[in-house]
Amino acid sequence: MAQDQHTHPETLALHAGWRADPSTGSVAVPIHQTTSFQFQDTGHAARLFALEELGNIYTRIMNPTVDVLEKRIAALEGGAAGLALASGQAASAFTVMNLCAAGDNIVSSTAVYGGTWNLFANTLRPLGIEVRFVDPADPEGFARASDDRTRAWYAETLPNPKLEVFPIAEVAALGRGMGIPLIMDNTAAPVICRPLEHGAAVVMHSTTKWIGGHGSSIGGIVVDGGNFDWAAHADRFPTLNTPDPSYHGAVWTEAAKPLGPIAYILRMRTCLLRDLGAAMSPMNAFLFLQGLETLPLRMERHCANAERVAAHLSGHAAVTQVIHPSVMRGEARRRAEAHLRGGFGGLLGFELKGGAEAGRRFIEALRMFYHVANIGDARSLAIHPATTTHSQLSPDQQLAAGATPGYVRLSIGIEHIDDILADLDQALAAAGE
Ligand SMILES: *Cc1c(COP(=O)(O)O)cnc(C)c1O
């Protein structure tokens, strides 16, 4: 069966981008732990360097193990090609730096991961790349904040802590009307959301979370949707449409033509990855491939368990509010249903009646849940943002970020639901004492 006949995520996660190794028959993807690759002859070497043929040169730029991961995640997202990177942070930085130079700007949702916020507000700004933040609940805000130096819009599918699904289809359509691509961080919603289907142009993931799924490696990936006409808006995208002095004057929208609609990711690999070097190691790519094989199955359980926890906590006397799309109403619920398939995600937040002190007692009392600054592990995880991830913010900033004093964030794992509820119940009892 040809690989591109598969369309279901369960099958793609196991088969896309790889069939047994032609030289050894190895079924599992080999870990190509090598820095460099022997050229067949001088002509082959010259063609690789001239991009007349795509192939392995040096593991900073590409590697066969990493390549399978890139193909597999690109297939899962329905995109044209992927680029794996050393972390989710590197992936989000690259998505923006691939389009922007000093004097340019992007418009971002305010509801983004803390690391993304810092990158945008504090690290890109002194480099001359301005990030304008707007309310994700108001699609028109993106258009109002844009001008002719706006290179992209950026948002997260299912952002912490409010967990209100981003209006991908509405914002992507507005952006396409103005010739502006939407970049989606889909870390919290792999399999259950495919942002490219809703009009996004680029998708990124921190593979550290659900894709890896076992809390063992840091990684990131960018997927080029292959669905945005960068050449039709040549003035807006000079990095892709003007001769690149670092690659003998290549114009990336032209250079990509024989290879497919991959100008964006081709430039990211040949320039940003070459120069900044945030490559994913072959070993980590192997671990992410391993995680990916069971991702669709795990997502089902993460989602089902989280929904049960949301229903359970909604009736609990010590809890004043539960945050999970399954218990939302109105526009937030409509957006969740329009964009998610097969579940509402594994993240869940709730507010303790007893405030910060109850939050601290609750965390201390957990026996099975791990107390960590991570999400997306097969194990259940918990954190109290007011005393950890958001503790450097002022009380006002904490409130604006949705990290109220009694707020607890859970990343629901794939354990048996009875054991999850039992641990939560005993910790809630301890928090109320
Ligand atoms: C963790 C995370 C990142 C950053 O990823 P790292 O792999 O930790 O660098 C980016 N976005 C979201 C939504 C995340 O959860």
CSV table of all heavy atoms in Angstrom, one decimal, residues 91-149:
chain,number,residue,atom,x,y,z
A,91,ALA,N,11.5,26.3,17.6
A,91,ALA,CA,10.5,26.2,16.6
A,91,ALA,C,9.7,27.5,16.5
A,91,ALA,O,9.6,28.1,15.4
A,91,ALA,CB,9.6,25.0,16.8
A,92,SER,N,9.3,28.1,17.6
A,92,SER,CA,8.5,29.3,17.5
A,92,SER,C,9.4,30.5,17.1
A,92,SER,O,8.9,31.3,16.3
A,92,SER,CB,7.7,29.6,18.8
A,92,SER,OG,8.3,29.1,20.0
A,93,ALA,N,10.6,30.5,17.6
A,93,ALA,CA,11.5,31.6,17.1
A,93,ALA,C,11.7,31.5,15.6
A,93,ALA,O,11.7,32.5,14.9
A,93,ALA,CB,12.9,31.5,17.9
A,94,PHE,N,11.9,30.3,15.1
A,94,PHE,CA,12.2,30.2,13.7
A,94,PHE,C,11.0,30.5,12.8
A,94,PHE,O,11.1,31.1,11.7
A,94,PHE,CB,12.6,28.7,13.4
A,94,PHE,CG,14.1,28.4,13.6
A,94,PHE,CD1,14.8,29.0,14.6
A,94,PHE,CD2,14.8,27.5,12.8
A,94,PHE,CE1,16.2,28.8,14.7
A,94,PHE,CE2,16.1,27.2,12.9
A,94,PHE,CZ,16.8,27.9,13.9
A,95,THR,N,9.8,30.2,13.3
A,95,THR,CA,8.6,30.5,12.5
A,95,THR,C,8.5,32.0,12.2
A,95,THR,O,8.1,32.4,11.1
A,95,THR,CB,7.3,30.1,13.2
A,95,THR,OG1,7.1,30.8,14.4
A,95,THR,CG2,7.2,28.6,13.4
A,96,VAL,N,8.9,32.8,13.2
A,96,VAL,CA,8.9,34.3,13.0
A,96,VAL,C,10.1,34.8,12.3
A,96,VAL,O,10.0,35.6,11.3
A,96,VAL,CB,8.8,35.0,14.4
A,96,VAL,CG1,8.8,36.5,14.2
A,96,VAL,CG2,7.5,34.5,15.1
A,97,MET,N,11.3,34.3,12.7
A,97,MET,CA,12.5,34.9,12.1
A,97,MET,C,12.7,34.5,10.6
A,97,MET,O,13.4,35.2,9.9
A,97,MET,CB,13.7,34.3,12.9
A,97,MET,CG,13.8,34.9,14.3
A,97,MET,SD,15.1,34.0,15.3
A,97,MET,CE,16.5,34.8,14.6
A,98,ASN,N,11.9,33.5,10.2
A,98,ASN,CA,12.0,33.1,8.8
A,98,ASN,C,11.3,34.1,7.9
A,98,ASN,O,11.6,34.1,6.7
A,98,ASN,CB,11.3,31.8,8.6
A,98,ASN,CG,11.7,31.0,7.4
A,98,ASN,OD1,12.9,31.1,7.0
A,98,ASN,ND2,10.8,30.4,6.7
A,99,LEU,N,10.5,35.0,8.5
A,99,LEU,CA,9.8,36.0,7.7
A,99,LEU,C,10.1,37.4,8.0
A,99,LEU,O,9.8,38.3,7.2
A,99,LEU,CB,8.2,35.9,7.9
A,99,LEU,CG,7.6,34.5,7.5
A,99,LEU,CD1,6.2,34.5,7.9
A,99,LEU,CD2,7.7,34.3,5.9
A,100,CYS,N,10.8,37.7,9.1
A,100,CYS,CA,11.0,39.0,9.6
A,100,CYS,C,12.4,39.5,9.6
A,100,CYS,O,13.3,38.7,9.9
A,100,CYS,CB,10.5,39.1,11.1
A,100,CYS,SG,8.7,39.0,11.2
A,101,ALA,N,12.6,40.8,9.4
A,101,ALA,CA,13.9,41.4,9.6
A,101,ALA,C,13.6,42.6,10.5
A,101,ALA,O,12.4,42.9,10.8
A,101,ALA,CB,14.5,41.9,8.3
A,102,ALA,N,14.6,43.3,10.9
A,102,ALA,CA,14.5,44.5,11.8
A,102,ALA,C,13.5,45.5,11.0
A,102,ALA,O,13.7,45.7,9.8
A,102,ALA,CB,15.8,45.1,12.0
A,103,GLY,N,12.6,46.0,11.8
A,103,GLY,CA,11.6,47.0,11.2
A,103,GLY,C,10.3,46.3,10.9
A,103,GLY,O,9.3,47.0,10.6
A,104,ASP,N,10.3,45.0,10.8
A,104,ASP,CA,9.0,44.2,10.6
A,104,ASP,C,8.3,44.0,11.9
A,104,ASP,O,8.8,44.1,12.9
A,104,ASP,CB,9.4,42.9,9.9
A,104,ASP,CG,10.0,43.1,8.5
A,104,ASP,OD1,9.9,44.2,7.9
A,104,ASP,OD2,10.6,42.1,8.0
A,105,ASN,N,7.1,43.5,11.7
A,105,ASN,CA,6.3,43.1,12.9
A,105,ASN,C,5.4,41.9,12.6
A,105,ASN,O,5.2,41.5,11.5
A,105,ASN,CB,5.4,44.3,13.4
A,105,ASN,CG,4.3,44.6,12.4
A,105,ASN,OD1,3.3,43.9,12.3
A,105,ASN,ND2,4.5,45.7,11.6
A,106,ILE,N,5.0,41.3,13.7
A,106,ILE,CA,3.9,40.3,13.6
A,106,ILE,C,2.9,40.7,14.6
A,106,ILE,O,3.1,41.5,15.5
A,106,ILE,CB,4.4,38.8,13.9
A,106,ILE,CG1,4.8,38.7,15.4
A,106,ILE,CG2,5.6,38.4,13.0
A,106,ILE,CD1,4.9,37.2,15.8
A,107,VAL,N,1.7,40.1,14.5
A,107,VAL,CA,0.6,40.3,15.5
A,107,VAL,C,0.4,38.9,16.1
A,107,VAL,O,0.2,37.9,15.5
A,107,VAL,CB,-0.7,40.8,14.8
A,107,VAL,CG1,-1.8,41.0,15.9
A,107,VAL,CG2,-0.4,42.1,14.1
A,108,SER,N,0.4,38.9,17.5
A,108,SER,CA,0.3,37.7,18.2
A,108,SER,C,-0.9,37.7,19.2
A,108,SER,O,-1.2,38.8,19.7
A,108,SER,CB,1.5,37.4,19.0
A,108,SER,OG,1.3,36.3,19.9
A,109,SER,N,-1.6,36.6,19.4
A,109,SER,CA,-2.5,36.5,20.5
A,109,SER,C,-1.8,36.7,21.8
A,109,SER,O,-0.7,36.3,22.0
A,109,SER,CB,-3.1,35.1,20.4
A,109,SER,OG,-3.7,34.7,21.7
A,110,THR,N,-2.5,37.3,22.8
A,110,THR,CA,-2.0,37.4,24.1
A,110,THR,C,-1.9,36.1,24.8
A,110,THR,O,-1.1,35.9,25.7
A,110,THR,CB,-2.8,38.4,25.0
A,110,THR,OG1,-4.2,38.0,24.9
A,110,THR,CG2,-2.7,39.8,24.6
A,111,ALA,N,-2.8,35.2,24.4
A,111,ALA,CA,-2.8,33.9,25.0
A,111,ALA,C,-1.8,32.9,24.5
A,111,ALA,O,-2.1,32.0,23.7
A,111,ALA,CB,-4.2,33.3,24.9
A,112,VAL,N,-0.5,33.1,24.8
A,112,VAL,CA,0.5,32.2,24.4
A,112,VAL,C,1.3,31.8,25.6
A,112,VAL,O,1.3,32.4,26.7
A,112,VAL,CB,1.5,32.9,23.4
A,112,VAL,CG1,0.8,33.1,22.0
A,112,VAL,CG2,2.0,34.2,23.9
A,113,TYR,N,2.0,30.7,25.4
A,113,TYR,CA,2.9,30.1,26.4
A,113,TYR,C,3.9,31.1,26.9
A,113,TYR,O,4.3,32.0,26.1
A,113,TYR,CB,3.7,28.9,25.6
A,113,TYR,CG,4.8,28.2,26.4
A,113,TYR,CD1,4.5,27.4,27.4
A,113,TYR,CD2,6.1,28.4,26.0
A,113,TYR,CE1,5.5,26.7,28.1
A,113,TYR,CE2,7.1,27.7,26.7
A,113,TYR,CZ,6.8,26.9,27.7
A,113,TYR,OH,7.8,26.2,28.4
A,114,GLY,N,4.3,31.0,28.2
A,114,GLY,CA,5.1,32.0,28.8
A,114,GLY,C,6.5,32.2,28.1
A,114,GLY,O,7.0,33.3,27.9
A,115,GLY,N,7.0,31.1,27.6
A,115,GLY,CA,8.3,31.2,26.9
A,115,GLY,C,8.2,31.9,25.6
A,115,GLY,O,9.1,32.6,25.2
A,116,THR,N,7.0,31.7,24.9
A,116,THR,CA,6.7,32.4,23.7
A,116,THR,C,6.6,33.9,23.9
A,116,THR,O,7.1,34.7,23.2
A,116,THR,CB,5.5,31.9,23.0
A,116,THR,OG1,5.6,30.4,23.0
A,116,THR,CG2,5.2,32.4,21.6
A,117,TRP,N,5.9,34.2,25.0
A,117,TRP,CA,5.7,35.6,25.4
A,117,TRP,C,7.0,36.3,25.6
A,117,TRP,O,7.3,37.4,25.1
A,117,TRP,CB,4.8,35.7,26.7
A,117,TRP,CG,4.6,37.1,27.1
A,117,TRP,CD1,5.4,37.9,27.8
A,117,TRP,CD2,3.4,37.9,26.8
A,117,TRP,NE1,4.9,39.2,28.0
A,117,TRP,CE2,3.6,39.2,27.4
A,117,TRP,CE3,2.2,37.6,26.2
A,117,TRP,CZ2,2.7,40.2,27.3
A,117,TRP,CZ3,1.3,38.6,26.1
A,117,TRP,CH2,1.5,39.9,26.7
A,118,ASN,N,7.9,35.7,26.3
A,118,ASN,CA,9.2,36.3,26.6
A,118,ASN,C,10.0,36.5,25.3
A,118,ASN,O,10.6,37.5,25.1
A,118,ASN,CB,10.0,35.4,27.6
A,118,ASN,CG,9.9,36.0,29.0
A,118,ASN,OD1,9.9,37.2,29.2
A,118,ASN,ND2,9.8,35.1,29.9
A,119,LEU,N,10.0,35.4,24.5
A,119,LEU,CA,10.7,35.5,23.2
A,119,LEU,C,10.2,36.7,22.4
A,119,LEU,O,10.9,37.5,21.8
A,119,LEU,CB,10.4,34.2,22.4
A,119,LEU,CG,10.8,34.2,20.9
A,119,LEU,CD1,12.3,34.2,20.7
A,119,LEU,CD2,10.2,33.0,20.2
A,120,PHE,N,8.8,36.8,22.3
A,120,PHE,CA,8.2,37.9,21.5
A,120,PHE,C,8.4,39.3,22.1
A,120,PHE,O,8.8,40.2,21.4
A,120,PHE,CB,6.7,37.6,21.4
A,120,PHE,CG,6.4,36.5,20.4
A,120,PHE,CD1,5.0,36.1,20.2
A,120,PHE,CD2,7.4,35.8,19.7
A,120,PHE,CE1,4.7,35.1,19.3
A,120,PHE,CE2,7.0,34.8,18.9
A,120,PHE,CZ,5.7,34.4,18.6
A,121,ALA,N,8.2,39.4,23.4
A,121,ALA,CA,8.1,40.7,24.1
A,121,ALA,C,9.5,41.2,24.4
A,121,ALA,O,9.8,42.4,24.4
A,121,ALA,CB,7.3,40.7,25.3
A,122,ASN,N,10.4,40.3,24.8
A,122,ASN,CA,11.7,40.7,25.3
A,122,ASN,C,13.0,40.3,24.5
A,122,ASN,O,14.0,41.0,24.6
A,122,ASN,CB,11.9,40.1,26.7
A,122,ASN,CG,10.8,40.6,27.6
A,122,ASN,OD1,10.5,41.8,27.6
A,122,ASN,ND2,10.2,39.7,28.4
A,123,THR,N,12.9,39.3,23.7
A,123,THR,CA,14.1,38.9,22.9
A,123,THR,C,14.0,39.4,21.5
A,123,THR,O,15.0,39.8,20.9
A,123,THR,CB,14.3,37.4,23.0
A,123,THR,OG1,14.5,37.0,24.4
A,123,THR,CG2,15.5,36.9,22.1
A,124,LEU,N,12.9,39.3,20.8
A,124,LEU,CA,12.8,39.8,19.4
A,124,LEU,C,12.7,41.3,19.3
A,124,LEU,O,13.3,41.9,18.4
A,124,LEU,CB,11.5,39.2,18.7
A,124,LEU,CG,11.6,37.7,18.5
A,124,LEU,CD1,10.3,37.2,17.7
A,124,LEU,CD2,12.8,37.2,17.7
A,125,ARG,N,12.2,41.9,20.3
A,125,ARG,CA,12.0,43.4,20.3
A,125,ARG,C,13.3,44.1,20.1
A,125,ARG,O,13.4,45.0,19.2
A,125,ARG,CB,11.2,43.9,21.5
A,125,ARG,CG,10.8,45.4,21.4
A,125,ARG,CD,10.0,45.8,22.6
A,125,ARG,NE,8.7,45.1,22.6
A,125,ARG,CZ,7.6,45.6,22.1
A,125,ARG,NH1,7.6,46.8,21.5
A,125,ARG,NH2,6.5,44.9,22.1
A,126,PRO,N,14.3,43.8,21.0
A,126,PRO,CA,15.6,44.6,20.8
A,126,PRO,C,16.3,44.2,19.4
A,126,PRO,O,17.2,44.9,19.0
A,126,PRO,CB,16.4,44.2,22.0
A,126,PRO,CG,15.7,43.0,22.6
A,126,PRO,CD,14.3,43.0,22.2
A,127,LEU,N,15.9,43.2,18.8
A,127,LEU,CA,16.4,42.9,17.5
A,127,LEU,C,15.7,43.6,16.4
A,127,LEU,O,16.0,43.5,15.2
A,127,LEU,CB,16.3,41.3,17.2
A,127,LEU,CG,17.1,40.4,18.1
A,127,LEU,CD1,16.8,39.0,17.8
A,127,LEU,CD2,18.5,40.7,18.2
A,128,GLY,N,14.7,44.4,16.8
A,128,GLY,CA,13.9,45.2,15.8
A,128,GLY,C,12.7,44.6,15.2
A,128,GLY,O,12.0,45.1,14.4
A,129,ILE,N,12.3,43.4,15.8
A,129,ILE,CA,11.1,42.7,15.3
A,129,ILE,C,10.0,43.0,16.4
A,129,ILE,O,10.2,42.5,17.5
A,129,ILE,CB,11.3,41.2,15.1
A,129,ILE,CG1,12.4,41.0,14.1
A,129,ILE,CG2,10.0,40.5,14.8
A,129,ILE,CD1,12.9,39.5,14.0
A,130,GLU,N,9.0,43.7,16.0
A,130,GLU,CA,8.0,44.1,17.0
A,130,GLU,C,6.9,43.1,17.0
A,130,GLU,O,6.4,42.7,15.9
A,130,GLU,CB,7.4,45.5,16.6
A,130,GLU,CG,6.4,46.0,17.6
A,130,GLU,CD,5.6,47.2,17.0
A,130,GLU,OE1,5.9,47.7,15.9
A,130,GLU,OE2,4.6,47.6,17.7
A,131,VAL,N,6.4,42.7,18.2
A,131,VAL,CA,5.3,41.8,18.3
A,131,VAL,C,4.1,42.6,18.9
A,131,VAL,O,4.3,43.1,20.0
A,131,VAL,CB,5.6,40.5,19.1
A,131,VAL,CG1,4.4,39.6,19.1
A,131,VAL,CG2,6.8,39.8,18.4
A,132,ARG,N,3.0,42.7,18.2
A,132,ARG,CA,1.9,43.4,18.7
A,132,ARG,C,0.9,42.4,19.2
A,132,ARG,O,0.5,41.5,18.5
A,132,ARG,CB,1.3,44.2,17.5
A,132,ARG,CG,2.3,45.2,16.9
A,132,ARG,CD,1.7,45.8,15.6
A,132,ARG,NE,2.7,46.8,15.2
A,132,ARG,CZ,2.6,47.5,14.0
A,132,ARG,NH1,1.5,47.3,13.3
A,132,ARG,NH2,3.5,48.3,13.6
A,133,PHE,N,0.5,42.5,20.5
A,133,PHE,CA,-0.3,41.5,21.1
A,133,PHE,C,-1.8,42.0,21.0
A,133,PHE,O,-2.1,43.1,21.3
A,133,PHE,CB,0.1,41.3,22.6
A,133,PHE,CG,1.4,40.6,22.7
A,133,PHE,CD1,2.6,41.3,23.0
A,133,PHE,CD2,1.4,39.2,22.6
A,133,PHE,CE1,3.8,40.6,23.1
A,133,PHE,CE2,2.6,38.5,22.7
A,133,PHE,CZ,3.8,39.2,23.0
A,134,VAL,N,-2.7,41.0,20.7
A,134,VAL,CA,-4.1,41.3,20.6
A,134,VAL,C,-4.9,40.2,21.3
A,134,VAL,O,-4.4,39.1,21.4
A,134,VAL,CB,-4.6,41.5,19.2
A,134,VAL,CG1,-3.9,42.7,18.5
A,134,VAL,CG2,-4.4,40.3,18.3
A,135,ASP,N,-6.2,40.6,21.7
A,135,ASP,CA,-7.1,39.6,22.3
A,135,ASP,C,-7.5,38.5,21.4
A,135,ASP,O,-8.1,38.8,20.3
A,135,ASP,CB,-8.3,40.4,22.8
A,135,ASP,CG,-9.3,39.6,23.5
A,135,ASP,OD1,-9.1,38.3,23.6
A,135,ASP,OD2,-10.3,40.1,24.0
A,136,PRO,N,-7.2,37.2,21.7
A,136,PRO,CA,-7.6,36.1,20.8
A,136,PRO,C,-9.1,36.0,20.6
A,136,PRO,O,-9.5,35.3,19.6
A,136,PRO,CB,-7.0,34.9,21.5
A,136,PRO,CG,-6.9,35.3,22.9
A,136,PRO,CD,-6.6,36.7,23.0
A,137,ALA,N,-9.9,36.5,21.5
A,137,ALA,CA,-11.3,36.4,21.3
A,137,ALA,C,-11.9,37.3,20.3
A,137,ALA,O,-13.1,37.2,19.9
A,137,ALA,CB,-12.0,36.6,22.7
A,138,ASP,N,-11.1,38.2,19.8
A,138,ASP,CA,-11.6,39.2,18.8
A,138,ASP,C,-10.8,39.1,17.5
A,138,ASP,O,-9.8,39.8,17.3
A,138,ASP,CB,-11.4,40.6,19.4
A,138,ASP,CG,-11.8,41.7,18.4
A,138,ASP,OD1,-12.5,41.4,17.4
A,138,ASP,OD2,-11.3,42.9,18.6
A,139,PRO,N,-11.3,38.3,16.5
A,139,PRO,CA,-10.6,38.1,15.3
A,139,PRO,C,-10.2,39.4,14.6
A,139,PRO,O,-9.1,39.5,14.0
A,139,PRO,CB,-11.5,37.3,14.4
A,139,PRO,CG,-12.3,36.5,15.4
A,139,PRO,CD,-12.5,37.5,16.6
A,140,GLU,N,-11.1,40.4,14.6
A,140,GLU,CA,-10.8,41.7,13.9
A,140,GLU,C,-9.6,42.4,14.4
A,140,GLU,O,-9.0,43.2,13.8
A,140,GLU,CB,-12.1,42.6,14.0
A,140,GLU,CG,-13.3,42.0,13.3
A,140,GLU,CD,-13.3,42.1,11.8
A,140,GLU,OE1,-12.4,42.9,11.3
A,140,GLU,OE2,-14.1,41.5,11.1
A,141,GLY,N,-9.3,42.1,15.7
A,141,GLY,CA,-8.2,42.8,16.4
A,141,GLY,C,-6.9,42.5,15.6
A,141,GLY,O,-6.0,43.4,15.5
A,142,PHE,N,-6.7,41.4,15.0
A,142,PHE,CA,-5.5,41.0,14.3
A,142,PHE,C,-5.4,41.9,13.0
A,142,PHE,O,-4.3,42.4,12.7
A,142,PHE,CB,-5.5,39.6,13.8
A,142,PHE,CG,-5.2,38.6,14.9
A,142,PHE,CD1,-6.2,38.2,15.9
A,142,PHE,CD2,-4.0,38.1,15.1
A,142,PHE,CE1,-5.9,37.4,16.9
A,142,PHE,CE2,-3.7,37.2,16.1
A,142,PHE,CZ,-4.7,36.9,17.0
A,143,ALA,N,-6.5,42.2,12.4
A,143,ALA,CA,-6.5,43.0,11.2
A,143,ALA,C,-6.2,44.5,11.6
A,143,ALA,O,-5.4,45.1,10.9
A,143,ALA,CB,-7.8,42.9,10.4
A,144,ARG,N,-6.8,44.9,12.7
A,144,ARG,CA,-6.6,46.3,13.1
A,144,ARG,C,-5.2,46.6,13.5
A,144,ARG,O,-4.7,47.7,13.2
A,144,ARG,CB,-7.5,46.7,14.3
A,144,ARG,CG,-9.0,46.9,13.9
A,144,ARG,CD,-9.8,47.6,15.0
A,144,ARG,NE,-9.7,46.8,16.3
A,144,ARG,CZ,-10.6,45.8,16.6
A,144,ARG,NH1,-11.5,45.5,15.7
A,144,ARG,NH2,-10.5,45.2,17.7
A,145,ALA,N,-4.5,45.6,14.0
A,145,ALA,CA,-3.1,45.8,14.5
A,145,ALA,C,-2.1,45.7,13.3
A,145,ALA,O,-0.9,45.9,13.6
A,145,ALA,CB,-2.8,44.8,15.6
A,146,SER,N,-2.5,45.3,12.1
A,146,SER,CA,-1.6,45.0,11.1
A,146,SER,C,-1.3,46.2,10.2
A,146,SER,O,-2.2,47.1,10.0
A,146,SER,CB,-2.1,43.9,10.2
A,146,SER,OG,-2.3,42.7,11.0
A,147,ASP,N,-0.1,46.2,9.5
A,147,ASP,CA,0.2,47.2,8.5
A,147,ASP,C,1.0,46.5,7.4
A,147,ASP,O,1.1,45.3,7.4
A,147,ASP,CB,0.9,48.4,9.1
A,147,ASP,CG,2.2,48.0,9.9
A,147,ASP,OD1,2.8,47.0,9.5
A,147,ASP,OD2,2.6,48.7,10.8
A,148,ASP,N,1.6,47.3,6.6
A,148,ASP,CA,2.3,46.7,5.4
A,148,ASP,C,3.7,46.0,5.8
A,148,ASP,O,4.3,45.4,5.0
A,148,ASP,CB,2.4,47.6,4.2
A,148,ASP,CG,3.2,48.9,4.6
A,148,ASP,OD1,3.7,49.0,5.7
A,148,ASP,OD2,3.3,49.8,3.7
A,149,ARG,N,4.1,46.2,7.1
A,149,ARG,CA,5.3,45.5,7.6
A,149,ARG,C,4.9,44.3,8.4
A,149,ARG,O,5.8,43.7,9.0
A,149,ARG,CB,6.2,46.5,8.4
A,149,ARG,CG,6.7,47.6,7.6
A,149,ARG,CD,7.7,47.2,6.5
A,149,ARG,NE,8.9,46.6,6.9
A,149,ARG,CZ,10.1,47.3,7.2
A,149,ARG,NH1,10.1,48.6,7.0
A,149,ARG,NH2,11.2,46.7,7.6
